[in-house]
Amino acid sequence: MASKLEALNRWVDEVARLTQPDRIHWCDGSEAEYQALVELMLDTGDLIELNPSTHPNCYLHRSNPSDVARVEHLTFVCTQEADDAGPNNHWMAPDEAHRKIDALFAGCMKGRTLYVIPYCMGPIDSPIARCGVEITDSPYVVANMRIMTRMGVKALERIERDGTFVRGLHSTGDLDPAKRFIMHFPEERAIKSIGSGYGGNALLGKKCHALRIASHQARQEGWLAEHMLILGIENPQGETHYVAAAFPSACGKTNLAMLIPPKAYPGWKIWTIGDDICWMQPGPDGRLWAINPEAGFFGVAPGTSAKTNPNALAMLDRDAIFTNVAETADNQPWWEGLPDGKPAKDWQGRDYDPANGPAAHPNSRFTVSARQCASWSPRAEDPQGVPISAIVFGGRRESLVPLVFESRDWTHGVLVGAAMGSETTAAATGAVGVLRRDSMAMKPFCGYNFADYFAHWLSFDKAGAKLPKIFHVNWFRKGADGKFVWPGFGDNMRVLEWVIERCKGTAGANETPIGNLPRAQDLNLAGLDLSPADLELLLTVDRDGWASEYASIGEYLDSFGARTPDALRQEHARTSAALAQA
Ligand code: GDP
Ligand code: PGA
Ligand code: MN
Ligand code: MN
């Protein structure tokens, strides 16, 4: 097979000459193709069948233990000018990067099949959607891409119509971490990734295309590609408001996106549009309209239970791929946080021994079609997207940062997003629990200089724009006992309600230098077991602590030099002055 698009055929030929596969397979995205790949991987041991009576059509994949997370230190943005990648990225000159990585690709597919995967990020007929083609030698990648994107014949037709596509070349290589690189060429709309089979490094539609390449393209074309979930909140009167929320990896996006409201909310419903990525652009009405470019969820398994995320648990009992979870004695998937069952084999396939650490890898994942989620919104397929009423930023902060606050206006909100800090998680290799700045949860994903990115965000505030209100949340505040103070999960509904009420102008707040916070009486706290001291911790501003936080934010803004927008520095100066006046 080949395509009607000569540029695509030429590229496939070029890659085949370099990588020398035994076979070339153009993916059509059919069920039969998926099943054939599963059979192949069962034979090679890439997949292990899970218990077919409890988990039909579910499989376990065990990664190489050195390849279980994104590798930020091996991820490069290769623009002509180093300054265009910015201090937030690792940079390599494009010529040097191509030379280095092509040497690793040379002959790497000998004895293997080269798969050509045409995919569409977003509903096939959406003007906001964009397409790509991933070439890979990994059947695991093909199977995951089929769940995570609109892949196959329809995508290829759109690519042939559009005449353009992002080129992503991937090979698992020999998994030697010394020969692993994830390289991005935003000016060429191209990606080259070798040496890793892990999701975020290998499923190129996701982080590499939909965030790094797309953010660069979005800046040129006047839209935004963000690391955000999208949800709809329907009230008992049948009105639905849409919220987009950016939290760093493993900080609660998937959970919030499919929340089930607590008892105190009869008649309310949360609709899921997306759990990781949001593309949005201004509509003719001045509002921001958003789509989820993905078609599935690549979610964190540990912590997922009937209590924390019942919608997620329910969708995982059929047609799912699990990566690096543990197994029970009767071959059911298992991870820390599940109240029932116990692990027999750990994520590396060893007999479970607590001395070896957790049974499931802390970054173990599930891949599942979004259609299996009970809260999946029909509007997720709407080519025009949904209008966004509120944007929420959030991080994992055990101290200082209150439960929720509202920014004063768009510029202040952009500062709040740019200033975001969060403790690192197992989603990327490296130390866990280290506080770092993670602007808009895009530190690992922005395909260009953060200072230019902040300026791009500010540029949406123009005549005729009806922009969302911007908020900041923190579900992870800890008390003196080291435990999370806020119950989180379903109870985050209480914060979402206040957010929507603020957008409508119907909820009260306490104005502070860092923004507007709810008072206890502004939140629905019915049925919660929180002491006055807990509420005090969650809903007050520690002025001294915030003064030093703002000093550190100022240093961070300075680290981008003259490219940092003046408006952001002025906003920072205003807030710092207000904090000093206390
Ligand atoms: P994502 O990677 O941003 O999509 O984050 P997830 O929703 O997968 O959550 C990552 C981890 O944080 C999981 O172990 C969750 O159980 C946990 N988590 C998510 N939401 C909350 C919350 O509201 N409170 C607490 N304490 N933990 C949460
Ligand atoms: P996450 O997505 O945000 O759900 O963790 C994967 C990642 O960011 O690596
Ligand atoms: Mn993510
Ligand atoms: Mn997630």
Side-chain angles (χ1 to χ4, degrees), residues 54-357:
T54 59
H55 290 76
N57 208 21
C58 287
Y59 304 94
L60 166 64
H61 173 77
R62 292 199 188 110
S63 306
N64 184 301
S66 75
D67 185 34
V68 293
R70 285 183 292 99
V71 282
E72 295 181 7
H73 59 297
L74 302 174
T75 299
F76 291 80
V77 169
C78 310
T79 44
Q80 292 294 340
E81 301 296 326
D83 271 356
D84 291 339
N88 46 302
N89 281 303
H90 298 292
W91 175 83
M92 204 183 288
D95 285 352
E96 184 194 345
H98 281 299
R99 216 174 319 116
K100 207 173 188 134
I101 203 161
D102 286 353
L104 299 172
F105 275 112
C108 74
M109 296 189 190
K110 273 186 194 145
R112 310 180 63 118
T113 301
L114 178 159
Y115 297 94
V116 182
I117 312 172
Y119 63 86
C120 181
M121 300 309 291
I124 291 271
D125 49 352
S126 169
I128 311 176
R130 297 285 187 278
C131 292
V133 177
E134 175 166 358
I135 293 180
T136 182
D137 56 8
S138 161
Y140 168 81
V141 166
V142 181
N144 277 274
M145 284 291 283
R146 178 165 185 270
I147 299 174
M148 294 303 298
T149 72
R150 286 131 177 119
M151 181 267 253
V153 176
K154 288 233 167 68
L156 184 59
E157 283 166 9
R158 173 157 173 173
I159 289 167
E160 289 167 346
R161 266 200 316 278
D162 290 356
T164 61
F165 59 95
V166 169
R167 289 156 204 238
L169 172 56
H170 168 258
S171 169
T172 39
D174 58 12
L175 295 178
D176 175 356
K179 295 191 239 158
R180 181 176 297 161
F181 290 103
I182 324 296
M183 289 175 168
H184 302 76
F185 305 89
E187 291 147 350
E188 303 165 37
R189 306 253 160 94
I191 305 153
K192 291 183 178 177
S193 163
I194 194 162
S196 169
Y198 174 74
N201 303 326
L203 310 177
L204 302 186
K206 194 175 181 59
K207 304 300 184 178
C208 300
H209 177 170
L211 289 176
R212 298 194 190 97
I213 300 290
S215 60
H216 188 274
Q217 181 171 10
R219 179 184 175 221
Q220 294 172 327
E221 298 175 356
W223 48 285
L224 288 164
E226 297 299 326
H227 191 201
M228 292 177 176
L229 67 95
I230 310 166
L231 59 77
I233 304 173
E234 184 178 335
N235 67 19
Q237 292 75 49
E239 270 172 22
T240 304
H241 293 269
Y242 294 93
V243 174
F247 311 153
S249 304
C251 292
K253 291 182 300 303
T254 301
N255 276 269
L256 191 67
M258 46 194 79
L259 171 161
I260 294 183
K263 283 210 179 63
Y265 285 84
W268 291 74
K269 161 112 188 140
I270 296 289
W271 294 101
T272 309
I273 305 276
D275 83 322
D276 196 43
I277 301 180
C278 164
W279 285 359
M280 54 189 162
Q281 64 179 39
D285 60 357
R287 293 191 288 178
L288 288 180
W289 289 75
I291 63 162
N292 168 17
E294 301 191 283
F297 307 121
F298 182 65
V300 175
T304 306
S305 73
K307 212 169 136 218
T308 58
N309 192 350
N311 275 332
L313 195 73
M315 69 186 175
L316 295 179
D317 58 10
R318 65 180 174 95
D319 302 297
I321 299 175
F322 295 87
T323 301
N324 300 329
V325 300
E327 260 188 298
T328 62
D330 63 345
N331 304 99
Q332 297 193 49
W334 193 89
W335 50 80
E336 276 69 19
L338 280 178
D340 302 322
K342 59 178 202 278
K345 285 207 166 78
D346 74 5
W347 64 278
Q348 300 191 54
R350 300 174 297 196
D351 288 341
Y352 175 60
D353 177 353
N356 289 329

Side-chain angles (χ1 to χ4, degrees), residues 270-581:
I270 296 289
W271 294 101
T272 309
I273 305 276
D275 83 322
D276 196 43
I277 301 180
C278 164
W279 285 359
M280 54 189 162
Q281 64 179 39
D285 60 357
R287 293 191 288 178
L288 288 180
W289 289 75
I291 63 162
N292 168 17
E294 301 191 283
F297 307 121
F298 182 65
V300 175
T304 306
S305 73
K307 212 169 136 218
T308 58
N309 192 350
N311 275 332
L313 195 73
M315 69 186 175
L316 295 179
D317 58 10
R318 65 180 174 95
D319 302 297
I321 299 175
F322 295 87
T323 301
N324 300 329
V325 300
E327 260 188 298
T328 62
D330 63 345
N331 304 99
Q332 297 193 49
W334 193 89
W335 50 80
E336 276 69 19
L338 280 178
D340 302 322
K342 59 178 202 278
K345 285 207 166 78
D346 74 5
W347 64 278
Q348 300 191 54
R350 300 174 297 196
D351 288 341
Y352 175 60
D353 177 353
N356 289 329
H361 189 276
N363 190 38
S364 53
R365 298 269 170 170
F366 54 78
T367 318
V368 67
S369 166
R371 291 187 306 264
Q372 283 177 221
C373 183
S375 57
W376 185 239
S377 166
R379 290 292 299 273
E381 302 290 342
D382 188 330
Q384 302 308 319
V386 294
I388 299 298
S389 302
I391 288 176
V392 179
F393 294 118
R396 200 178 264 274
R397 295 291 297 260
E398 61 174 33
S399 59
L400 186 68
V401 180
L403 178 65
V404 57
F405 59 93
E406 174 196 37
S407 63
R408 287 180 285 275
D409 55 25
W410 185 257
T411 305
H412 180 229
V414 173
L415 176 65
V416 167
M420 256 172 73
S422 195
E423 293 140 19
T424 52
T425 67
T429 54
V432 167
V434 181
L435 183 63
R436 69 164 183 183
R437 296 272 160 230
D438 190 347
S439 299
M440 280 85 171
M442 285 287 278
K443 166 76 185 69
F445 307 121
C446 183
Y448 62 102
N449 190 316
F450 254 164
D452 300 342
Y453 172 73
F454 303 151
H456 182 51
W457 264 83
L458 292 170
S459 76
F460 285 83
D461 191 4
K462 54 184 171 220
K466 292 200 186 70
L467 294 169
K469 272 184 170 284
I470 299 180
F471 298 80
H472 189 285
V473 300
N474 177 25
W475 313 142
F476 300 96
R477 189 76 183 260
K478 286 183 180 166
D481 58 2
K483 294 200 181 120
F484 295 122
V485 178
W486 179 247
F489 301 104
D491 287 312
N492 293 333
M493 180 68 200
R494 301 165 193 273
V495 172
L496 289 177
E497 184 195 15
W498 183 75
V499 162
I500 294 304
E501 295 285 312
R502 288 298 290 174
C503 293
K504 297 208 282 192
T506 50
N510 176 20
E511 289 180 17
T512 84
I514 68 161
N516 307 323
L517 275 70
R519 299 155 303 178
Q521 70 263 34
D522 298 319
L523 292 174
N524 176 354
L525 299 172
L528 279 190
D529 179 25
L530 285 172
S531 69
D534 292 339
L535 280 172
E536 169 88 14
L537 195 72
L538 292 168
L539 302 179
T540 49
V541 174
D542 162 7
R543 291 215 176 197
D544 290 342
W546 274 98
S548 39
E549 177 79 1
Y550 260 79
S552 130
I553 294 166
E555 286 168 24
Y556 174 68
L557 293 179
D558 287 343
S559 73
F560 298 95
R563 276 166 106 125
T564 303
D566 283 340
L568 221 48
R569 289 187 202 274
Q570 283 156 15
E571 191 62 41
H572 174 264
R574 253 196 298 281
T575 306
S576 303
L579 281 163
Q581 264 168 27

